[in-house]
Amino acid sequence: MARISLAGLDIEYELLGPTGAPAIALTPGGRFPKDSPGLPELAQALAAGGRRVLLWDRPNCGASDVSFEGDNESDLQARTLIQLIGALQLGPTALAAGSAGSRVSLIAASRAPDVVSHLALWWISGGALSLISLAAYYCVDSAIAASRGGMAAVAALPGWSLQIQRNPRNRDILLAQNPEVFIETMERWALAYMPSQSSPVPGMSPEGFGRLRMPVLIFRNGKSDLSHTRRTSEWVHELIPHSQLIDPPWPDNEWNQRSEYAMKHGSGHFAGWPMIAPTLLTFTGAGKPARP
């Protein structure tokens, strides 16, 4: 494990695979850390296939610092990812990500397309019910806690317990926030998740999709998955005409089954992700491809 300071934020990361090899940055979903079951196994398979693999804890996840700077949380994390790739001198890097990580990777690739060699996405979050629930999950509970008990109540929420456990300074960062300003931030961040008629992904405009000139691979969302609707993955494919849309190696109800398991055991959403390693290795090839 290693840590690096980027614009005042301490970010925890790990690099696997041979130095100088084509790089792949893996980003999970939720606020889950880089060692969530399935992520290390996927990273190891990609490293065994000759890739330099970056695992990282996004701001507000795992052992990295919490932060409330930025137009929204996904934008904060996307900006940090591009800074991290540059600071580690990884060169053009493939971004491979699922769920919230797919949103972060899309935004990062649209902001800095020259930094991104390939883009592979699965479980792209979208659909009215999904996006409204994300606003509640990421923002509403914390805002209500701040309104009722100040930042001490926010720091006591289960949603921040892992971040404080793995990085005790995160409690101090939370307690240092002005509650009124924090609530305003949560309101602004929640608005970023509101469903749009012009884009399937919060934080991505049609113009942003148009800047994605690197090769793009999209694994089709499950028909039964209300958190990552099938129409969302198809809409993203339509907005990136040169992208490939393929079926994933897991069953249609993968998300529902994994979520049910995770509710009982505390983790396991991403346990099936190592199954896509062969496809990612084939897609990313060896080295930076010519842009279409």
Side-chain angles (χ1 to χ4, degrees):
M1 307 299 174
R3 294 180 71 80
I4 190 171
S5 182
L6 301 170
L9 286 178
D10 280 1
I11 301 299
E12 184 101 354
Y13 72 93
E14 182 177 1
L15 284 170
L16 294 79
T19 302
I24 300 179
L26 297 179
T27 306
R31 285 198 177 124
F32 292 101
K34 58 181 171 52
D35 59 355
S36 298
L39 262 294
E41 293 82 359
L42 174 56
Q44 290 161 8
L46 294 173
R51 303 298 186 268
R52 184 68 160 164
V53 185
L54 170 64
L55 288 170
W56 67 299
D57 281 342
R58 293 157 287 158
N60 302 339
C61 305
S64 289
D65 284 354
V66 299
S67 174
F68 305 100
E69 300 295 328
D71 292 337
N72 57 71
E73 189 168 33
S74 300
D75 181 78
L76 164 68
Q77 294 173 349
R79 183 176 70 241
T80 303
L81 175 56
I82 294 301
Q83 292 172 341
L84 181 59
I85 290 170
L88 297 178
Q89 300 181 335
L90 295 178
T93 298
L95 307 186
S99 199
S102 66
R103 181 172 60 252
V104 170
S105 296
L106 273 166
I107 295 172
S110 72
R111 300 289 175 82
D114 290 340
V115 174
V116 180
S117 66
H118 304 74
L119 185 60
L121 309 168
W122 56 95
W123 289 359
I124 306 173
S125 304
L129 297 177
S130 172
L131 297 180
I132 291 170
S133 69
L134 290 180
Y137 177 75
Y138 288 122
C139 306
V140 174
D141 286 349
S142 290
I144 291 174
S147 72
R148 294 176 177 175
M151 295 310 298
V154 177
L157 289 173
W160 296 107
S161 61
L162 179 63
Q163 294 88 326
I164 292 172
Q165 175 188 341
R166 294 195 174 188
N167 181 0
R169 104 179 192 128
N170 278 333
R171 176 176 172 80
D172 296 332
I173 295 173
L174 283 167
L175 295 178
Q177 305 300 309
N178 178 295
E180 292 184 2
V181 174
F182 178 80
I183 292 170
E184 292 174 357
T185 298
M186 291 298 98
E187 290 179 335
R188 185 177 71 253
W189 283 15
L191 286 173
Y193 292 109
M194 292 300 99
S196 166
Q197 296 298 315
S198 61
S199 172
V201 177
M204 286 293 294
S205 65
E207 294 76 18
F209 281 103
R211 289 192 288 271
L212 302 175
R213 304 310 307 162
M214 69 291 296
V216 178
L217 178 66
I218 301 167
F219 292 90
R220 185 180 281 107
N221 288 349
K223 189 175 182 180
S224 66
D225 187 348
L226 291 183
S227 295
H228 321 93
T229 65
R230 172 159 291 183
R231 176 56 188 153
T232 300
S233 58
E234 293 171 346
W235 191 358
V236 171
H237 172 56
E238 292 165 8
L239 289 169
I240 312 173
H242 67 274
S243 63
Q244 303 174 55
L245 179 65
I246 65 172
D247 289 322
W250 44 70
D252 179 85
N253 62 348
E254 174 79 357
W255 169 257
N256 294 332
Q257 289 185 333
R258 297 293 182 186
S259 296
E260 184 176 352
Y261 178 91
M263 287 180 64
K264 296 177 181 178
H265 301 279
S267 64
H269 288 89
F270 317 133
W273 286 13
M275 288 190 285
I276 65 174
T279 304
L280 292 180
L281 287 169
T282 299
F283 170 65
T284 56
K288 183 179 179 179
R291 300 199 181 275

